[in-house]
Amino acid sequence: MQVVDIAKCISCRLCAFDCPAYAIEMTLNPAAEKYKYYPVVDFGKCVFCYQCVRVCPTQAYVTSNMYNLASFAREKIIKDVLKKDIES
Amino acid sequence: MSGSKYIEIPIGPQHPALHEPILFRVKVEGEKIVDVIPSTGYNHRGIERLCEDNTFLRDVFLAGRVCGICNVIHTTCYSECIERVGNIDVPPRAKYLRTILNELERIHSHMLLFAILGELIGFQTLFMLVMRDRESILTLKELIAGNRIQADYVMPGGVRKDLTPEKIQQIKKALDQVRARIKYYKKVFENDSIIKKRLSGVGILDVQDVYRYGFVGPIARASGVKSDVRCEDYYAAYNDIPFNVITRNECDSWSRMMVRVDELFESVNIVEYAVDHLPEGPIGPKAMIRTVKAGEAIARVEAPRGELVYYIISKGGDKPYRVKIRTPSFNNILNCQVMFKDANLADLPAILVSLDPCISCMERLVVVEENGRAEMKSLVDLAR
């Protein structure tokens, strides 16, 4: 699956525009100084076409070898980078 | 069944002999099949309508999901159509890369059919062996496109990934092994007594019926009709690459499988020729094609099952006005009753598998407004 590095994200929303499965949602990050919105990827909807990786002008998306998505809760497969940081 | 002298047996939509959701209402007299009525409508997904709501760029991925097995071919056809509407030039290297992926997909689609054939006629060893050899083709697809099945490789204006010389060496090495295995399978298909007894002389399709009902692809070629879109309507790099169109004259299930076996050799040769003569240059446009000018176009490509047609109308902007998809299985399955006349009931799976049924991509539904009430009917119902 693809991983987002929000330090590189410039909130341009190209990934959310192009996502054929409407899996990417731009979410407000009030703590950010300059670019207030960052992408949250719902891997329950994602079709793994990697169009987001391709269109990103700042290479904020990185493909990875991770594939273990199985979870008991639907919310767990929505990868919110900020929330994950809080949990861990 | 009172009032009729025939017994009607429903086969499907959930049945071990058919892996896809379609209902065949088979009328039999004793063991002989009198008539077969295919009934569709179990797997409609509304992709054509969905294409109108999404942008041109999103539709590329939607087109790839019409059919899982031939997804590269669907995206190739969609991209060719967009390029014809917008007069977009494709770099030669991208054309060759499209050809390579299209042919690899034809190889693994035909091999999957051989495996299913083995399973249906009670030849489980064939299933195991073919599936093992098909794996090397899927590995090649992953090497080139990044995914084993859903490649998402072709985009309007070009392709998404390039080939390196190391990958070309790997492709050549794997193709040599695959060719040796196909030679072995050809020997099996020609000499094995199970296959000969189950398939020879079964499901006869005359040349007249091919023209009358419009059968396409390997089914038409097995009845002696030389029809191949790769020669008739040039797309990708097929006008630069020499290859033969395979035809046979036996007109039965066995010849339909043998046409596919011989096509595998041609496909392997095409891929080898393409990687040897791969031109240098870019693989696509610098900017992604998001808007297409107003116009309409038809594109035809040769899918593993026959002629695939896309028709796109654009009124300018970033969304298509209409996307019409005509898949090869649509003709081949809806008109298949001519092959089942006077066949044994036990031969039904053997005939059906020789058609290479792909139900999910042929599914269409038409909504008829009558007295303010929306009624949903399948095309078979409307055709009656």
Side-chain angles (χ1 to χ4, degrees), chain B residues 48-105:
Chain B
E48 285 182 7
R49 180 69 185 82
L50 207 54
C51 282
E52 296 165 15
D53 281 349
N54 285 295
T55 60
F56 282 110
L57 205 57
R58 280 178 179 152
D59 287 349
V60 178
F61 305 103
L62 211 48
R65 277 148 184 87
V66 173
C67 179
I69 290 294
C70 33
N71 62 80
V72 176
I73 291 171
H74 272 267
T75 42
T76 307
C77 194
Y78 177 82
S79 304
E80 292 272 340
C81 204
I82 295 262
E83 284 148 16
R84 284 178 195 185
V85 176
N87 283 333
I88 300 158
D89 284 334
V90 186
R93 191 177 174 87
K95 285 185 177 179
Y96 269 74
L97 289 172
R98 280 181 187 183
T99 312
I100 293 169
L101 249 270
N102 274 350
E103 290 308 314
L104 284 181
E105 199 154 77

Side-chain angles (χ1 to χ4, degrees), chain B residues 36-211:
Chain B
V36 172
I37 303 164
S39 251
T40 62
Y42 298 98
N43 200 13
H44 181 64
R45 294 166 295 169
I47 285 187
E48 285 182 7
R49 180 69 185 82
L50 207 54
C51 282
E52 296 165 15
D53 281 349
N54 285 295
T55 60
F56 282 110
L57 205 57
R58 280 178 179 152
D59 287 349
V60 178
F61 305 103
L62 211 48
R65 277 148 184 87
V66 173
C67 179
I69 290 294
C70 33
N71 62 80
V72 176
I73 291 171
H74 272 267
T75 42
T76 307
C77 194
Y78 177 82
S79 304
E80 292 272 340
C81 204
I82 295 262
E83 284 148 16
R84 284 178 195 185
V85 176
N87 283 333
I88 300 158
D89 284 334
V90 186
R93 191 177 174 87
K95 285 185 177 179
Y96 269 74
L97 289 172
R98 280 181 187 183
T99 312
I100 293 169
L101 249 270
N102 274 350
E103 290 308 314
L104 284 181
E105 199 154 77
R106 194 180 317 280
I107 295 171
H108 89 69
S109 170
H110 284 352
M111 287 180 108
L112 178 75
L113 182 70
F114 299 155
I116 294 172
L117 171 85
E119 198 190 351
L120 285 185
I121 64 171
F123 193 168
Q124 292 287 345
T125 322
L126 184 69
F127 173 80
M128 301 287 177
L129 289 176
V130 175
M131 285 308 251
R132 186 191 67 187
D133 295 327
R134 180 175 174 257
E135 196 60 34
S136 60
I137 297 292
L138 294 181
T139 314
L140 282 189
K141 248 184 108 177
E142 188 182 2
L143 188 76
I144 301 171
N147 261 338
R148 280 158 43 90
I149 299 285
Q150 281 292 353
D152 289 332
Y153 186 66
V154 183
M155 296 291 279
V159 295
R160 287 173 95 184
K161 279 188 181 176
D162 206 352
L163 263 184
T164 56
E166 298 83 50
K167 285 182 182 174
I168 290 176
Q169 290 308 319
Q170 285 187 44
I171 292 170
K172 281 183 173 178
K173 201 176 154 192
L175 283 180
D176 282 341
Q177 294 170 355
V178 169
R179 184 185 279 120
R181 295 303 297 168
I182 301 168
K183 269 183 193 157
Y184 171 72
Y185 292 128
K186 187 170 183 183
K187 216 166 78 185
V188 170
F189 272 86
E190 280 172 344
N191 300 325
D192 189 84
S193 57
I194 296 180
I195 291 180
K196 287 288 268 184
K197 278 184 182 167
R198 286 300 305 271
L199 298 184
S200 287
V202 168
I204 301 284
L205 178 69
D206 296 335
V207 187
Q208 289 88 350
D209 284 337
V210 172
Y211 286 117

Side-chain angles (χ1 to χ4, degrees), chain B residues 117-369:
Chain B
L117 171 85
E119 198 190 351
L120 285 185
I121 64 171
F123 193 168
Q124 292 287 345
T125 322
L126 184 69
F127 173 80
M128 301 287 177
L129 289 176
V130 175
M131 285 308 251
R132 186 191 67 187
D133 295 327
R134 180 175 174 257
E135 196 60 34
S136 60
I137 297 292
L138 294 181
T139 314
L140 282 189
K141 248 184 108 177
E142 188 182 2
L143 188 76
I144 301 171
N147 261 338
R148 280 158 43 90
I149 299 285
Q150 281 292 353
D152 289 332
Y153 186 66
V154 183
M155 296 291 279
V159 295
R160 287 173 95 184
K161 279 188 181 176
D162 206 352
L163 263 184
T164 56
E166 298 83 50
K167 285 182 182 174
I168 290 176
Q169 290 308 319
Q170 285 187 44
I171 292 170
K172 281 183 173 178
K173 201 176 154 192
L175 283 180
D176 282 341
Q177 294 170 355
V178 169
R179 184 185 279 120
R181 295 303 297 168
I182 301 168
K183 269 183 193 157
Y184 171 72
Y185 292 128
K186 187 170 183 183
K187 216 166 78 185
V188 170
F189 272 86
E190 280 172 344
N191 300 325
D192 189 84
S193 57
I194 296 180
I195 291 180
K196 287 288 268 184
K197 278 184 182 167
R198 286 300 305 271
L199 298 184
S200 287
V202 168
I204 301 284
L205 178 69
D206 296 335
V207 187
Q208 289 88 350
D209 284 337
V210 172
Y211 286 117
R212 190 179 301 146
Y213 295 102
F215 285 95
V216 288
I219 298 162
R221 291 198 282 278
S223 295
V225 180
K226 197 173 181 182
S227 119
D228 194 325
V229 184
R230 290 178 288 176
C231 308
E232 294 162 1
D233 190 359
Y234 291 127
Y235 67 97
Y238 286 107
N239 47 351
D240 301 340
I241 299 174
F243 66 97
N244 302 320
V245 178
I246 311 288
T247 54
R248 288 188 88 92
N249 293 317
E250 287 94 338
C251 307
D252 56 358
S253 284
W254 182 76
S255 73
R256 290 195 273 277
M257 301 313 283
M258 285 310 288
V259 162
R260 292 187 176 104
V261 174
D262 289 335
E263 268 181 16
L264 289 187
F265 289 113
E266 294 297 324
S267 295
V268 172
N269 289 342
I270 290 173
V271 177
E272 281 191 341
Y273 185 93
V275 294
D276 280 339
H277 297 79
L278 200 60
E280 295 297 321
I283 57 163
K286 279 182 184 167
M288 227 161 268
I289 291 160
R290 290 171 193 279
T291 55
V292 180
K293 66 180 183 184
E296 55 185 299
I298 285 183
R300 301 194 299 158
V301 302
E302 181 77 13
R305 292 161 183 81
E307 177 196 53
L308 169 69
V309 181
Y310 268 66
Y311 172 56
I312 295 178
I313 305 176
S314 165
K315 299 222 161 179
D318 65 342
K319 284 181 183 176
Y321 177 74
R322 175 84 170 102
V323 177
K324 166 75 187 145
I325 309 168
R326 185 180 168 282
T327 55
S329 296
F330 185 71
N331 258 22
N332 292 345
I333 301 297
L334 288 186
N335 297 317
C336 67
Q337 76 278 3
V338 286
M339 292 180 212
F340 292 108
K341 290 272 163 64
D342 295 333
N344 270 326
L345 184 61
D347 287 334
L348 189 133
I351 299 172
L352 192 65
V353 75
S354 75
L355 298 175
D356 203 354
C358 182
I359 308 302
S360 64
C361 61
M362 62 161 266
E363 203 67 88
R364 297 287 180 280
L365 231 69
V366 177
V367 181
V368 182
E369 292 278 350

Side-chain angles (χ1 to χ4, degrees), chain A residues 17-19 22 49-51, chain B residues 54 58 65 160 288 290:
Chain A
F17 275 131
D18 274 355
C19 179
Y22 300 88
C49 66
Y50 297 111
Q51 182 69 6
Chain B
N54 285 295
R58 280 178 179 152
R65 277 148 184 87
R160 287 173 95 184
M288 227 161 268
R290 290 171 193 279

